[in-house]
Amino acid sequence: LVVHPRDGELVIGTHGRSAFVLDALPLRALTDEVARWPLHLFAPRPAVAPHRDGTDGAYRTGASQGEASITWWQAGEATATVEIVDAAGETVWRSEQPGHPGLNVARWDLLPLGQERPVGSFGRYPQYAAPGTYTVRVVADGGEVSTRLVVLAP
C-alpha cells in the first residue's frame, strides 16, 4: 500500500500481479467535523471526456479519465439523488443511489440523459458531455449539497 505523493491516490498491489487505485482525497478530507454533518459533498477531480469514439485521451495528472467520480458523506440511511446540471441550468444526468451512513460514491460516465454507451458501435458514437463547468448536487435525508465539476476536453 502506498499513497501516491503527486496524485493522492491509494495504490494497492497484490501478490497475484493485480493493482488497484483508489482516490484517497475524500478520505484525507474526511475530518471529525465533516463526520458530524448530516450530508457533505467532496470536491470531485476534473473529468476528462473520452474521444468521440469512446477511447481515453491523453492522461492528465489529477483528473479522472472518462468518468466523474462523485463522493459524499451522509450520516443516515437514505436514498440519495445525484444530479449533474450544466451552465444553462439543465439537468444532464440524474441517478438515484442507495445512500448508506458513511462515504458513498456515484460514477457518471459523462453521457447525458438519453445517451447510452454503444456496444459494438460500428460508427454510432455517443455525444459525451461538452467540456465546461457543471454543478453536482446531492439530495439526501432532507439535505442538499452542491459543488463544481469541471469536464475537460479529451
Side-chain angles (χ1 to χ4, degrees):
L1 294 175
V2 67
V3 175
H4 193 281
R6 181 190 64 206
D7 296 338
E9 295 171 329
L10 178 63
V11 181
I12 305 163
T14 71
H15 291 290
R17 296 185 182 167
S18 294
F20 301 92
V21 179
L22 171 73
D23 184 2
L25 290 180
L27 293 174
R28 288 178 162 185
L30 181 59
T31 63
D32 289 338
E33 181 182 350
V34 169
R36 285 191 293 271
W37 296 345
L39 188 62
H40 177 77
L41 179 59
F42 297 95
R45 292 177 184 267
V48 179
H51 286 285
R52 186 171 165 260
D53 63 1
T55 60
D56 290 337
Y59 176 78
R60 297 197 189 166
T61 300
S64 296
Q65 296 295 119
E67 70 177 15
S69 182
I70 312 302
T71 305
W72 71 97
W73 166 271
Q74 72 183 59
E77 185 88 25
T79 299
T81 302
V82 181
E83 294 179 328
I84 308 291
V85 180
D86 66 13
E90 297 292 321
T91 300
V92 296
W93 185 76
R94 174 182 289 131
S95 178
E96 298 288 322
Q97 299 286 320
H100 305 289
L103 289 172
N104 295 268
V105 178
R107 299 193 190 292
W108 176 38
D109 60 6
L110 304 181
L111 289 172
L113 291 170
Q115 291 280 333
E116 294 182 18
R117 187 175 302 279
V119 177
S121 60
F122 296 111
R124 282 190 40 234
Y125 299 119
Q127 182 65 44
Y128 290 96
T133 301
Y134 294 80
T135 299
V136 179
R137 184 170 38 229
V138 176
V139 179
D141 205 17
E144 179 178 320
V145 288
S146 63
T147 191
R148 291 179 344 131
L149 166 67
V150 175
V151 174
L152 303 171

